[in-house]
Structures are given as C-alpha cells and as structure tokens.
Amino acid sequence: KTRLCALAVGLMNDTYERVGNETSAKDGHFGVTGWQAQHISFSGGSATISYVGKSGVKQKKTVTDAGLVSGLKKALEGKSGSDAVFEIEAGDVNAYLKPHGITAKDIRGLHANREVQTRLKAIRSKGGKLPDDPKERQQKLKDEFKQALDEAAEAVGHKATTLKGQYLVPGLERNYIERGGKVVDKLDKQYESRASGLSKGASVFLYHVGSHPALATVQPGDTFMLRPGPQGAEGPGVYFSEGAPRPTAAEGARLGPT
C-alpha cells in the first residue's frame, strides 16, 4: 500500500491530476486512484494515460519519468481492461501525506498556482507597455490574468471557474493588478496588499474554520461554502481579523450550500 500511495503521489505531481474518489469513478470521471488498466498504454520509455476526468473533461497525460513509468508497469502486472491500477483510495493517499502536513489537493493546487504565475510572466513580457489611463491599464491587466487562467486551467485539466474558485490562492489576481503586472512568486505573500489596508500597528490573526460545529462531519474532498456571519468569517479555511483572537470566532459563520 505504501508503494502504491507513493506512486499515486508521484503521478499527481507529474500530471497535475486530482486524487479521485469512488463516487466520481462510478460516474465515469476518474482521478489517479480510479485509473484503470485500459486507460494506460506504454511506448518506449513513456506511459500515456487517456481517460475522462472531473467535470467530464477528456484527459490525455504523458509520463516520461523512468521511476514512475516503471512503477506503473509493476502496478499493472496481471491486470487488464477495467481492472484498477491502484488498490487504494483517496483516504489512503491523504493518510500517507499527513505526516508532511499536506493533502492530495495541495499538490494539484500548487501546480495550478504555479501554472498561472508562469503564464502571467510570459503574457506580461509580451504584452508591451501598459496604458497610462488607470481604467484602461486595469482592464488590460484583468484581460491578461484571464488569459493566464484559461491557459493554466487547460494544462491542469479543469474549467477556469473551478481552478479560480477552488485552487487559486486568494489575492493572486489582486496583487497582479495592483502591482502593475508584477507577479509575486511566494504564494504565502499573496495577501500582503490586502493586509496593508489595516490601521497602523494593528495585528492580523488567521482563524481556521475547522472549529465551526457545522463542519464536524466534513470529509477531505467535500465542497462547502462559508457565508459572512456576525464575526465576519468568510471563505474556505481561514479568514482575517483585526484585533485580539477569540477562540469561538469561527462560530459566527453560517454554513451555505455546497
């Protein structure tokens, strides 16, 4: 199981594909752990995986890493047709990653953000001088960001709206526009411009919404939305608050529709 989990993680890192789940696989939408023998073919030192991914998007991934190709061949020994390549589930992969402090979705999210950043730099380098008019300048930068998002979504294998809503680090677009087309490389610095609006000397705290009682049964891979509540909690994961931390802050949020 450990070897299969390691192989799945390597393939997610190489192909940008999601880990997958049994429910989606039953609907004919496959992630890495749902891949079947019939999805994979070998040619020379490479492997090609052809399948239908999330949202019904057809995918075709080519793997050339010798270690991954060798691992796939071993995993497929004696298998054919609809036989599962991996006899593991998403929970097994996340348990394997837990000691490292990340989840399977983090791997895909990292690549999604890096793809956007790389494309933004390429687009801006060829975009020429920005307009002097503030409105025209802002619109051009917004158009460039949309182009980068669309290209990254195609590379990752997702719809642009899904990539932006579920994977993109908040603040990436805003920083690109506010900084006149400059890409902030460090993903943990994307909120910098937003935090700068706080009063001088103020402290900024990050609250994790995991303490919200309505989220007690949420499982990895589930989708949920937090609507603003009395405490101002908003968005998946964390939110900002100016002032002293309060242990029950997240309880002010209201769980919205999935």
Side-chain angles (χ1 to χ4, degrees), residues 18-154:
R18 65 193 180 94
V19 66
N21 60 72
E22 188 176 349
T23 301
S24 293
K26 288 180 179 178
D27 293 334
H29 301 164
F30 301 94
V32 173
T33 57
W35 285 346
Q36 300 174 352
Q38 61 190 350
H39 295 148
I40 302 173
S41 61
F42 298 98
S43 178
S46 67
T48 299
I49 307 104
S50 303
Y51 58 101
V52 177
K54 190 172 183 178
S55 303
V57 179
K58 291 183 178 180
Q59 305 287 348
K60 188 173 184 179
K61 310 284 188 177
T62 299
V63 177
T64 58
D65 181 276
L68 294 177
V69 173
S70 175
L72 271 174
K73 287 181 178 179
K74 289 181 180 178
L76 282 168
E77 288 179 356
K79 297 178 181 179
S80 62
S82 61
D83 291 343
V85 177
F86 298 93
E87 296 173 0
I88 55 174
E89 299 177 352
D92 298 316
V93 176
N94 282 319
Y96 172 81
L97 290 170
K98 188 174 182 179
H100 305 286
I102 62 173
T103 67
K105 188 173 182 178
D106 291 331
I107 297 174
R108 187 167 165 84
L110 172 64
H111 285 298
N113 282 278
R114 290 303 185 210
E115 286 290 326
V116 172
Q117 290 176 312
T118 299
R119 283 164 170 72
L120 281 174
K121 291 178 181 179
I123 292 169
R124 181 83 294 276
S125 69
K126 300 176 182 178
K129 185 179 180 296
L130 291 168
D132 293 325
D133 180 79
K135 289 185 177 180
E136 292 180 5
R137 180 188 183 90
Q138 184 181 62
Q139 187 57 55
K140 182 172 177 59
L141 289 171
K142 284 184 176 180
D143 291 341
E144 289 180 354
F145 192 88
K146 183 180 183 302
Q147 180 184 342
L149 187 67
D150 289 340
E151 292 178 1
E154 184 175 354

Side-chain angles (χ1 to χ4, degrees), residues 148-165:
L149 187 67
D150 289 340
E151 292 178 1
E154 184 175 354
V156 175
H158 245 328
K159 293 180 179 178
T161 52
T162 303
L163 189 154
K164 185 176 182 180

